[in-house]
Amino acid sequence: MPIVNLNSAQIKAIQYGDGPLLIIAGAGTGKTTVITERIKYLIQKKNIPSDHILALTFTEKSAREMEERIDRIMPYGYTQMWISTFHSFCDQILRQDGIQIGITPNYKLISTAESVQLIKKNIFKLELDYFRPLGNPTKFLEALLTHFSRLKDEDITPNQYSAFATKKHKQAVTVEDREKVKQIKELARSYKLYEKIKSENGVMDFSDLISSTLHLLRNRKTVLQKYQNLFEFILVDEFQDTNFAQNELAIMLAGTKQNITVVADDDQ
């Protein structure tokens, strides 16, 4: 397969066979070109159906750029491809299969600003004490949302966080320890209550998309097997930007075949 304007390392990566592949490359070295040419190679030379390839990236702009590049290098007709951001991909999965874990397909995806308004509206339901000072009761609400989002990024569920708070409570010895534990227990309680509030309102925020997809795939093995069988090859761009939950999702989807290609810039 002749490939022009590519060096030997790029060609080797493009024509790599089965199994995991990590590509380390700096800015401006043709990382996206390698991904798009590898997709072309998989379809044309390995005879992988185009809709059996999943390409994930981090911004809508990057996803559109990758899709446009593939459109330019592929013959007409290869349109059924999965190219999207992690969040868009998970949104699609949840609207199709989320009902199996009680997620309504017509849930509303809310923005950060809407999340702030929702938590303000339900501030008294969160049973806050330390994080709702009398002089400024909404002072910590945005910080709470950021904290909850980071917990989701680290694949930590409300029950796991509550268990962590209980463990810390048992370990507390000094007055300072007990005061810190009191704050952790309040965070854990409000984290669980905020999840309940979103569920009651039929809404999800962006951090929910990946965590809920992980929950779906872990608890509905038939759904997991469906997507593992569908995606013969998975490619992830800008892999250095992945958080723990996104990494877990990619590994889970790759299954035992582990046909996953990740491209990362080790300077970022």
Side-chain angles (χ1 to χ4, degrees), residues 14-66:
I14 290 165
Q15 298 181 349
Y16 182 81
D18 294 346
L21 172 63
L22 169 63
I23 301 171
I24 301 293
T29 57
K31 299 189 298 294
T32 304
T33 297
V34 170
I35 287 184
T36 54
E37 289 289 345
R38 178 158 172 75
I39 290 172
K40 178 181 177 181
Y41 174 80
L42 290 172
I43 294 171
Q44 293 192 325
K45 295 300 179 180
K46 299 282 286 185
N47 297 315
I48 305 299
S50 57
D51 60 345
H52 286 210
I53 298 172
L54 171 64
L56 295 170
T57 186
F58 287 86
T59 65
E60 294 291 348
K61 180 181 178 181
S62 296
R64 285 195 303 270
E65 179 185 351
M66 188 183 298

Side-chain angles (χ1 to χ4, degrees), residues 6 27 51 75 88 91-92 108 129 181-182 185 193 211 246:
L6 295 170
D51 60 345
S88 294
D91 186 39
Q92 189 171 348
K108 180 184 177 184
D129 181 19
V181 166
K182 182 180 177 182
K185 290 176 72 174
L193 289 170
S211 64
Q246 290 165 334

Side-chain angles (χ1 to χ4, degrees), residues 180-197:
K180 185 66 176 178
V181 166
K182 182 180 177 182
Q183 295 175 24
I184 295 173
K185 290 176 72 174
E186 185 170 319
L187 286 169
R189 183 174 64 249
S190 60
Y191 182 29
K192 183 175 290 188
L193 289 170
Y194 182 59
E195 294 302 293
K196 182 181 178 182
I197 290 168

Side-chain angles (χ1 to χ4, degrees), residues 22-29 31 238-241 263-268:
L22 169 63
I23 301 171
I24 301 293
T29 57
K31 299 189 298 294
E238 304 295 345
F239 187 69
Q240 75 280 348
D241 293 331
V263 181
D265 182 349
D266 58 351
D267 289 331
Q268 294 188 26

Side-chain angles (χ1 to χ4, degrees), residues 62-81:
S62 296
R64 285 195 303 270
E65 179 185 351
M66 188 183 298
E67 194 167 15
E68 290 169 359
R69 288 195 185 198
I70 291 172
D71 283 342
R72 287 197 298 268
I73 66 175
M74 292 298 296
Y76 178 77
Y78 290 97
T79 56
Q80 298 300 317
M81 297 189 65

Side-chain angles (χ1 to χ4, degrees), residues 55-268:
L56 295 170
T57 186
F58 287 86
T59 65
E60 294 291 348
K61 180 181 178 181
S62 296
R64 285 195 303 270
E65 179 185 351
M66 188 183 298
E67 194 167 15
E68 290 169 359
R69 288 195 185 198
I70 291 172
D71 283 342
R72 287 197 298 268
I73 66 175
M74 292 298 296
Y76 178 77
Y78 290 97
T79 56
Q80 298 300 317
M81 297 189 65
W82 294 70
I83 303 173
S84 70
T85 64
F86 274 92
H87 291 94
S88 294
F89 170 74
C90 290
D91 186 39
Q92 189 171 348
I93 299 305
L94 290 173
R95 293 192 187 278
Q96 182 169 319
D97 294 295
I99 190 68
Q100 297 199 37
I101 55 170
I103 296 176
T104 176
N106 61 348
Y107 63 81
K108 180 184 177 184
L109 186 60
I110 58 175
S111 65
T112 301
E114 289 171 317
S115 297
V116 172
Q117 290 304 311
L118 180 65
I119 199 171
K120 282 183 178 179
K121 181 180 177 181
N122 293 276
I123 186 172
F124 293 104
K125 293 183 180 180
L126 294 179
E127 301 177 9
L128 298 172
D129 181 19
Y130 181 86
F131 294 101
R132 186 169 61 86
L134 293 177
N136 187 3
T138 64
K139 178 180 179 180
F140 294 111
L141 293 187
E142 291 189 40
L144 284 175
L145 288 174
T146 299
H147 186 64
F148 300 157
S149 179
R150 287 176 178 169
L151 289 169
K152 292 287 183 73
D153 289 346
E154 293 301 315
D155 195 22
I156 298 171
T157 67
N159 287 338
Q160 289 172 329
Y161 199 39
S162 293
F164 170 74
T166 300
K167 180 181 178 180
K168 286 295 184 181
H169 176 76
K170 293 178 180 179
Q171 295 174 343
V173 177
T174 67
V175 173
E176 184 179 355
D177 289 340
R178 288 192 288 271
E179 185 63 24
K180 185 66 176 178
V181 166
K182 182 180 177 182
Q183 295 175 24
I184 295 173
K185 290 176 72 174
E186 185 170 319
L187 286 169
R189 183 174 64 249
S190 60
Y191 182 29
K192 183 175 290 188
L193 289 170
Y194 182 59
E195 294 302 293
K196 182 181 178 182
I197 290 168
K198 286 187 291 184
S199 178
E200 290 172 347
N201 284 269
V203 301
M204 296 178 69
D205 58 31
F206 282 96
S207 63
D208 291 322
L209 293 174
I210 293 170
S211 64
S212 295
T213 302
L214 283 172
H215 180 64
L216 168 65
L217 298 180
R218 285 168 175 158
N219 291 276
R220 296 294 182 269
K221 298 303 181 183
T222 55
V223 177
L224 174 60
Q225 289 170 2
K226 178 178 76 171
Y227 289 107
Q228 286 178 338
N229 292 335
L230 174 61
F231 300 127
E232 297 185 49
F233 283 85
I234 298 171
L235 302 96
V236 183
D237 196 10
E238 304 295 345
F239 187 69
Q240 75 280 348
D241 293 331
T242 55
N243 56 44
F244 184 80
Q246 290 165 334
N247 186 53
E248 284 291 292
L249 176 63
I251 292 172
M252 192 178 301
L253 289 170
T256 56
K257 297 189 296 289
Q258 289 294 298
N259 288 335
I260 181 168
T261 298
V262 299
V263 181
D265 182 349
D266 58 351
D267 289 331
Q268 294 188 26

